[in-house]
Amino acid sequence: MKADLQTFWAIILASLAVPAPLPAAPAEKEDFALFLLMGQSNMSGRGVIEAQDREPIPGAFKLNSGSRWIAAVDPLNSDGPKKVGVGPGRAFARTILQERPFEKIGLMSAAVGGTTLNQWGPKGRFYKRAVRMLRQGEKSGHLRAILWHQGESDAAGTTDRAKTYAIRWVALMRSLRRDAGCPHVPIIVGKLGDFVRRPQAKIINSQLERLPTLLDNVVVVSSKGLRDTGDGLHFDALSQRELGRRYANAYLSLLDK
């Protein structure tokens, strides 16, 4: 009889228990700090993914191909699913959140591997896709910065094309700022790796170094000491994480100013 009473009360108590809450999905009206990631393969990421790159970062989300916010795990980008890997985005978000834990970071990765600067022109499909992605993201927040890494494809071109990189880039970013409705939004640019052996790589890096003198709120981050995957073109995963931290510190330095 005693056992029956214990079973009875166990059933009653279980029925009254409050179920454990499910992990909350980000609200559609959340005020995210939005970051638009643009460029070619080193921005979309080619580093080998490890278990740590699959672990969600509290407060960091990515806009997926279905225009929904999900946990920001690698790969952030859907650029060729067999190739994409670790890029700078997650380390960027993690570093920002360490300094600004009250933020909710929304990463929008629009980078496309193998693209030239001209292919990112305002009339082209990659530019238009990036703007569409931004419009979707803006339903949940505000653009805080643009992250750019591109130039390896242009480094394989002619000397004349390489020497006009800065001027062409400035025209592109002025257009993007105008279309984004953010005329002075910060732009963080990464230099090509020193391991890139394409004919115009040094010229492209010298052009990248000029950008802060040609446009306001632009910071260029160094690639010094970073390593490639062995292909002489792409940063490995460890270097991508360090590159992301450098992007974040550059962004935070602008906030301090």
Side-chain angles (χ1 to χ4, degrees):
M1 181 69 175
K2 185 177 180 180
D4 290 341
L5 284 173
Q6 288 176 335
T7 301
F8 172 78
W9 284 113
I11 293 171
I12 294 298
L13 290 172
S15 68
L16 295 175
V18 178
L22 294 173
E28 288 300 317
K29 298 299 182 182
E30 201 81 58
D31 187 17
F32 282 14
L34 301 176
F35 297 92
L36 183 62
L37 283 57
M38 298 175 64
Q40 56 180 114
S41 53
N42 272 318
M43 181 55 79
S44 60
R46 294 295 186 267
V48 176
I49 295 176
E50 301 173 10
Q52 63 177 299
D53 307 307
R54 296 286 195 178
E55 296 175 2
I57 301 170
F61 303 91
K62 67 177 180 180
L63 192 65
N64 70 5
S65 57
S67 297
R68 295 190 62 82
W69 292 109
I70 62 173
V73 297
D74 278 320
L76 298 181
N77 197 285
S78 58
D79 164 28
K82 293 182 179 179
K83 295 181 179 180
V84 287
V86 177
R90 270 174 51 90
F92 172 84
R94 188 191 300 276
T95 305
I96 297 296
L97 289 165
Q98 287 169 351
E99 296 295 322
R100 300 170 66 84
F102 52 86
E103 295 274 27
K104 289 191 177 177
I105 304 294
L107 302 174
M108 303 171 291
S109 186
V112 181
T115 49
T116 65
L117 181 59
N118 283 349
Q119 287 178 303
W120 279 97
K123 295 183 179 180
R125 60 192 178 101
F126 303 127
Y127 180 97
K128 292 177 180 178
R129 173 174 168 264
V131 172
R132 286 197 303 271
M133 190 176 291
L134 175 58
R135 294 284 180 261
Q136 183 64 36
E138 285 177 328
K139 296 177 181 180
S140 305
H142 297 86
L143 181 65
R144 299 291 181 83
I146 298 166
L147 277 55
W148 177 267
H149 198 288
Q150 190 277 334
E152 291 88 353
S153 290
D154 290 78
T158 65
T159 301
D160 288 343
R161 175 172 290 187
K163 287 181 176 179
T164 64
Y165 187 97
I167 298 301
R168 292 183 291 123
W169 184 89
V170 167
L172 166 65
M173 288 302 161
R174 281 179 175 157
S175 176
L176 184 58
R177 280 177 166 177
R178 182 175 61 250
D179 288 342
C182 303
H184 304 289
V185 68
I187 307 172
I188 318 298
V189 180
K191 293 180 67 175
L192 307 190
D194 291 337
F195 47 76
V196 176
R197 295 291 178 260
R198 292 188 169 181
Q200 317 306 333
K202 289 184 177 180
I203 295 178
I204 295 296
N205 269 342
S206 67
Q207 290 282 298
L208 294 175
E209 290 170 355
R210 293 183 58 208
L211 299 181
T213 69
L214 301 175
L215 198 64
D216 68 299
N217 279 351
V218 175
V219 180
V220 176
V221 300
S222 170
S223 61
K224 185 177 181 179
L226 302 184
R227 301 178 303 183
D228 66 316
T229 59
D231 62 2
L233 191 61
H234 298 108
F235 296 107
D236 64 15
L238 186 64
S239 295
Q240 283 283 21
R241 297 183 196 108
E242 173 58 24
L243 186 62
R245 287 188 284 270
R246 294 180 187 183
Y247 270 88
N249 288 329
Y251 171 72
L252 292 170
S253 73
L254 286 176
L255 295 186
D256 290 340
K257 293 178 182 178

